[in-house]
Amino acid sequence: MSIVKSKIRTIPDYPKPGILFRDITSLLIDPEAFRLTIAMFVERYQNQGIQKVVAIDARGFIAGAALAFQLGVGFVPVRKKGKLPGKTISEAYALEYGVDHVEIHIDAIEEGEKVVIMDDLIATGGTLEASIKLVQSLKGIIHECATIIDLPDLGGAVRIKEKYGINVYSICEFEGH
Ligand code: AMP
């Protein structure tokens, strides 16, 4: 855990002043730390009957695809609006100013399939919440949500647990925004 955390680089004032951007590219470039990150997710989700890994555009795809490969299960992308070519359903989520949408192919998950939803980081939880709604609309069963990083001061994981009864597992936490 501390090895993974120590490899995440913080870039102040990106993408705007006041934001501390938690950059996973410095983790991904380190083969041992990258392997360890994926190994922690694999250990947690193997032998749990997971049938699909659902991951969020775009940084969620990195660990999500590696986890799906290691578990030997399908990978499902949740993408930003307008990127998926087939028939989709869509969910809005709040941005600091305005709203955006995430989408999933309607045939990506079968009723009753057990899934894990992954992103790189949970802050307010808005992006994960929209993805939870998409999976639930397709009648998938969400085993857990998983991120590399949690920003607990923003309360996203607690809110998701309270609202949906779904646990959010994160490898490490950073204080602040
Ligand atoms: P939220 O919907 O508020 O939980 O925000 C989570 C999404 O925004 C994730 O997809 C992250 O990649 C991105 N994000 C939010 N805050 C940060 C941050 N401080 N550093 C890096 N990425 C962030």
Side-chain angles (χ1 to χ4, degrees):
M1 189 275 256
S2 57
I3 294 173
V4 172
K5 184 171 177 177
S6 71
K7 296 291 176 184
I8 296 164
R9 177 168 70 165
T10 298
I11 313 263
D13 300 321
Y14 182 88
K16 20 184 155 167
I19 304 282
L20 292 174
F21 191 86
R22 308 300 179 176
D23 177 24
I24 60 165
T25 64
S26 46
L27 164 68
L28 301 171
I29 209 168
D30 182 305
E32 279 313 309
F34 186 25
R35 276 183 82 85
L36 187 61
T37 303
I38 303 308
M40 289 176 79
F41 289 130
V42 172
E43 185 172 319
R44 189 168 179 89
Y45 298 119
Q46 67 190 353
N47 307 318
Q48 300 292 319
I50 305 300
Q51 292 165 287
K52 298 257 169 75
V53 174
V54 175
I56 303 173
D57 195 349
R59 288 185 293 273
F61 292 171
I62 300 162
L67 175 66
F69 178 84
Q70 285 291 334
L71 294 180
V73 304
F75 174 84
V76 175
V78 164
R79 297 216 60 185
K80 302 278 166 60
K81 194 187 175 97
K83 300 287 186 186
L84 288 171
K87 197 162 181 213
T88 58
I89 52 170
S90 180
E91 265 302 329
Y93 64 101
L95 294 173
E96 208 170 336
Y97 302 103
V99 290
D100 208 344
H101 293 80
V102 281
E103 298 182 335
I104 194 169
H105 276 141
I106 53 164
D107 56 359
I109 293 167
E110 316 248 316
E111 183 172 346
E113 269 188 328
K114 196 169 171 183
V115 314
V116 171
I117 305 180
M118 297 204 67
D119 203 356
D120 65 325
L121 179 148
I122 177 166
T124 66
T127 318
L128 263 178
E129 185 176 354
S131 307
I132 287 170
K133 289 183 187 164
L134 289 176
V135 171
Q136 291 187 335
S137 298
L138 298 179
K139 302 193 168 63
I141 308 295
I142 301 161
H143 174 73
E144 193 165 72
C145 297
T147 65
I148 300 171
I149 304 160
D150 182 17
L151 306 183
D153 294 346
L154 290 165
V158 171
R159 207 167 303 121
I160 284 173
K161 183 74 178 181
E162 282 171 2
K163 200 163 166 190
Y164 298 92
I166 296 169
N167 196 52
V168 181
Y169 166 74
S170 301
I171 294 177
C172 63
E173 296 182 352
F174 284 89
E175 282 178 25
H177 290 209

